[in-house]
């Protein structure tokens, strides 16, 4: 089955840029979606189809996808961005939805 | 406004059964693919399965961890999706979310907690 790999944690100072990666075999050929989840809350879609932002998501959130790595980039990080972030794809060969293990973003 | 409201969670013994509901509003439910995702305490998101629309013959697919034990159904006349949990195991303890899938999971419910314990 298809596997998505994320680093468990990323730390960044306020105002800096956070990059959260999601690794998968030839993930560049798939559409990657990213979710933000704060404690006690349901996940929120922050980037869909590799690089598109849903309405209401700040422009500071952006995404890219190529080769074996997809990346969620958060510019000018704020304290309120501290959360868990998950990548997700649909694996057409199995018809399964697959989530990465999640990355905890800590704002120092 | 899209709204998804889960209900039906609770405490159940190992081997028991439970039926979760997901009441939808604010969008064309009958044409939407509906999914269930769960999250054990302190753990990541785990996809459980999905049901497609009538146009796609209500096709279902399930994660390997629940296949044969869980069943997803829907009642379009009530704008409601269901997750039937059977032969429950302790490791099924989690918050269960329903979600609409369009370009990614763009809408989520608040979740309902299922606790499997003796």
């Amino acid at each position: 089955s298809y596997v998505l790999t994320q680093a468990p944690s990323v730390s960044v100072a306020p105002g800096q840029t956070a990059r959260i990666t999601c690794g998968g075999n030839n993930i560049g050929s798939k559409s990657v979606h990213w979710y933000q989840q704060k404690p006690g809350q349901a996940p929120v879609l922050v980037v869909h189809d590799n690089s598109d932002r849903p309405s209401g998501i700040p422009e500071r959130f952006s995404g890219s996808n190529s080769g074996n790595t997809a990346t969620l980039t958060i510019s000018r990080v704020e304290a309120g961005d501290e959360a868990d972030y998950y990548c997700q794809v649909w694996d057409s060969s199995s018809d399964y939805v697959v989530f990465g293990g999640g990355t905890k973003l800590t704002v120092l | 406004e899209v709204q998804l409201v889960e209900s039906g969670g609770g405490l159940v013994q190992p081997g028991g059964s439970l039926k979760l509901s997901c009441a939808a509003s604010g969008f064309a439910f009958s044409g939407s693919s509906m999914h269930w995702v769960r999250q054990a305490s302190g753990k990541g998101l785990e996809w459980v399965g999905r049901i497609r629309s009538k146009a796609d013959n209500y096709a279902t697919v399930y994660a390997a961890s629940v296949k044969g034990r869980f069943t997803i159904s829907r009642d379009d006349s009530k704008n409601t999706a269901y997750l039937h949990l059977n032969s429950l195991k302790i490791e099924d303890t989690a918050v269960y979310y329903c979600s609409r899938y369009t370009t990614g999971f763009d809408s989520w419910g608040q979740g309902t907690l299922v606790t499997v314990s003796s």
Side-chain angles (χ1 to χ4, degrees):
Chain A
S1 60
Y2 195 76
V3 175
L4 294 175
T5 301
Q6 296 183 243
S9 63
V10 167
S11 299
V12 64
Q16 299 304 301
T17 297
R19 293 179 178 84
I20 298 171
T21 60
C22 177
N25 184 35
N26 197 27
I27 194 173
S29 67
K30 301 180 183 299
S31 284
V32 179
H33 313 297
W34 290 91
Y35 304 88
Q36 175 193 68
Q37 187 180 34
K38 296 181 179 180
Q41 298 183 19
V44 173
L45 180 68
V46 293
V47 167
H48 66 86
D49 296 306
N50 302 319
S51 59
D52 292 334
R53 277 187 316 279
S55 173
I57 300 301
E59 292 183 6
R60 301 185 297 104
F61 289 81
S62 62
S64 63
N65 185 19
S66 179
N68 293 318
T69 304
T71 303
L72 173 69
T73 301
I74 309 171
S75 304
R76 302 180 299 282
V77 166
E78 302 173 356
D81 298 332
E82 191 163 279
D84 294 323
Y85 291 85
Y86 296 90
C87 59
Q88 175 256 310
V89 301
W90 173 62
D91 178 28
S92 59
S93 63
S94 63
D95 199 16
Y96 280 9
V97 167
V98 181
F99 285 100
T103 297
K104 179 176 180 59
L105 175 65
T106 298
V107 181
L108 301 171
Chain B
E1 178 194 4
V2 174
Q3 275 202 319
L4 298 169
V5 179
E6 301 96 337
S7 60
L11 175 63
V12 61
Q13 292 187 336
S17 299
L18 211 54
K19 177 183 172 182
L20 307 183
S21 300
C22 170
S25 61
F27 66 100
F29 177 81
S30 62
S32 298
S33 175
M34 297 301 297
H35 295 240
W36 288 90
V37 176
R38 69 183 181 181
Q39 186 172 37
S41 180
K43 302 298 184 181
L45 301 173
E46 181 187 13
W47 178 75
V48 172
R50 67 104 171 101
I51 185 166
R52 287 188 168 151
S53 68
K54 181 179 181 180
D56 290 312
N57 298 313
Y58 301 121
T60 55
V61 65
Y62 303 92
S65 59
V66 306
K67 190 174 183 179
R69 300 188 300 121
F70 291 8
T71 302
I72 299 173
S73 63
R74 62 192 296 161
D75 185 338
D76 290 343
S77 69
K78 296 181 179 180
N79 284 354
T80 301
Y82 303 98
L83 178 63
H84 307 259
L85 300 83
N86 298 311
S87 303
L88 281 161
K89 305 176 181 180
I90 290 176
E91 54 265 36
D92 293 320
T93 295
V95 173
Y96 286 73
Y97 296 99
C98 69
S99 184
R100 179 181 77 162
Y101 195 95
T102 57
T103 51
F105 292 112
D106 64 357
S107 302
W108 297 70
Q110 84 288 351
T112 187
L113 176 63
V114 172
T115 303
V116 184
S117 175
S118 55

